[in-house]
Amino acid sequence: MKRAIEGFHLDRFQEWVAELECGHALQMKHNPPYMECRWIGTGKGRQEHIGDSVECVDCDMPKIPDGMTRIETSPVYQRSDMPAEWQNGFSTEAGIWGRVVIKQGMLQFVIEPGAAASRGFLLDRDFAGIMAPGLSHSLSPAMGDVQFYIEYFTA
């Protein structure tokens, strides 16, 4: 979802972060071919890009509705013991939401794999994946080892 840049600040690693109109933040690095923003290194460059629209991945992630109660937490899974069917697409039961929480590493999370409206995310300790009922999801390790668990919620 496109959101306007309202300002910038340095994070704890001294990397520039865009402050978006939605309240989320987006790390900005000149890292071709993935991100072209040579201008981020100068005050003038940053000032010229306030108001630009950028993609906010946080806004694209579904949200667990208010009033939901956690009913179960899965065991902690690793690359070696995660169910194989999770890489091909699975869904929660009707009325059940899930939050994929990363303890270590990174996980690829795809909502509706293979569908025209498919959306992919890279989950880490700072960005959890939300599984909405009625949608297919796939999970696969992004690189190296990963440790994660799933919290399940219902009304």
Side-chain angles (χ1 to χ4, degrees):
M1 188 172 298
K2 295 282 188 179
R3 301 292 189 194
I5 297 173
E6 292 188 334
F8 296 92
H9 69 268
L10 286 171
D11 68 10
R12 65 187 179 121
F13 301 109
Q14 299 301 298
E15 298 283 351
W16 285 105
V17 176
E19 301 158 0
L20 306 181
E21 65 180 314
C22 57
H24 293 129
L26 177 66
Q27 190 173 58
M28 305 293 289
K29 289 183 179 182
H30 180 63
N31 185 18
Y34 307 106
M35 184 177 278
E36 291 277 345
C37 53
R38 190 177 311 273
W39 49 267
I40 196 68
T42 68
K44 181 179 182 221
R46 289 187 299 278
Q47 188 64 37
E48 290 174 350
H49 288 274
I50 290 179
D52 284 5
S53 290
V54 294
E55 196 67 33
C56 179
V57 177
D58 289 338
C59 284
D60 285 339
M61 182 65 70
K63 307 288 183 261
I64 295 175
D66 291 338
M68 301 297 265
T69 302
R70 186 173 63 200
I71 56 169
E72 184 180 345
T73 300
S74 77
V76 174
Y77 293 101
Q78 298 181 50
R79 173 190 284 263
S80 60
D81 61 6
M82 64 185 285
E85 64 267 16
W86 287 4
Q87 295 189 34
N88 301 320
F90 70 100
S91 58
T92 61
E93 295 176 19
I96 305 296
W97 289 74
R99 178 184 308 146
V100 182
V101 180
I102 308 299
K103 291 182 65 163
Q104 173 188 324
M106 291 186 280
L107 197 63
Q108 292 177 355
F109 176 67
V110 179
I111 300 172
E112 297 281 33
S118 179
R119 292 174 283 168
F121 302 90
L122 186 61
L123 308 181
D124 61 20
R125 291 175 60 174
D126 298 322
F127 189 55
I130 304 299
M131 299 186 305
L135 297 178
S136 178
H137 306 85
S138 68
L139 299 168
S140 59
M143 61 175 93
D145 200 14
V146 64
Q147 293 181 1
F148 68 97
Y149 57 94
I150 303 175
E151 298 174 324
Y152 296 97
F153 297 81
T154 191

